[in-house]
Amino acid sequence: MRQCFDELKIHTRGHSMHLITQAVGETVQHSGIQQGICQLSCLHTSASLIVQENASLDVQTDLLAFLDHLAPMEAGRYTHDLEGLDDMPAHLKTMLTQTHLSLSIRHGQLVLGQWQGIFLWEHRQQGSYRRIQVHIIGGD
């Protein structure tokens, strides 16, 4: 049994979804672990990780719009607004999604469905550098 730790630094454009499947897959391959688990942790409270369809950009558009409807940016709506109108809505969106993912590794590859991709979801309006911890556990 072996472990591997790495960190991905992703520069986001603000309020968008960033496909990170390839970067995570390369980290898994570099680890040399053939069978195991890949644990991803987003180290932020206003961005999240999801597994979602990677074939149609319309899915991303609809997901962004849906969460904007659930957690709208409106002046006076939230008490917490230290960093602007998007501050509290970003925290709510993170709460409704997830900051950690566990994915299986088989034959040195992530186990994902044909149309599945791993996304970092930036909930803030302004771009930022986001850190994703990658913890891979397994063996040969």
Side-chain angles (χ1 to χ4, degrees), residues 80-97:
H80 178 75
D81 61 0
L82 292 175
E83 297 177 18
L85 281 177
D86 68 341
D87 196 2
M88 191 60 206
H91 294 305
L92 291 170
K93 292 172 184 179
T94 300
M95 178 189 70
L96 294 170
T97 53

Side-chain angles (χ1 to χ4, degrees), residues 21 24-26 28 38 103-106 108-112 118:
T21 312
V24 175
E26 289 171 358
V28 168
C38 176
L103 301 163
S104 295
I105 300 167
R106 187 180 330 136
Q109 304 288 323
L110 290 168
V111 177
L112 290 166
I118 306 165

Side-chain angles (χ1 to χ4, degrees), residues 61-100:
T61 300
D62 289 341
L63 288 170
L64 288 163
F66 179 77
L67 273 193
D68 285 345
H69 175 75
L70 289 180
M73 284 192 302
E74 295 175 3
R77 183 178 185 106
Y78 308 104
T79 303
H80 178 75
D81 61 0
L82 292 175
E83 297 177 18
L85 281 177
D86 68 341
D87 196 2
M88 191 60 206
H91 294 305
L92 291 170
K93 292 172 184 179
T94 300
M95 178 189 70
L96 294 170
T97 53
Q98 54 205 355
T99 57
H100 294 72

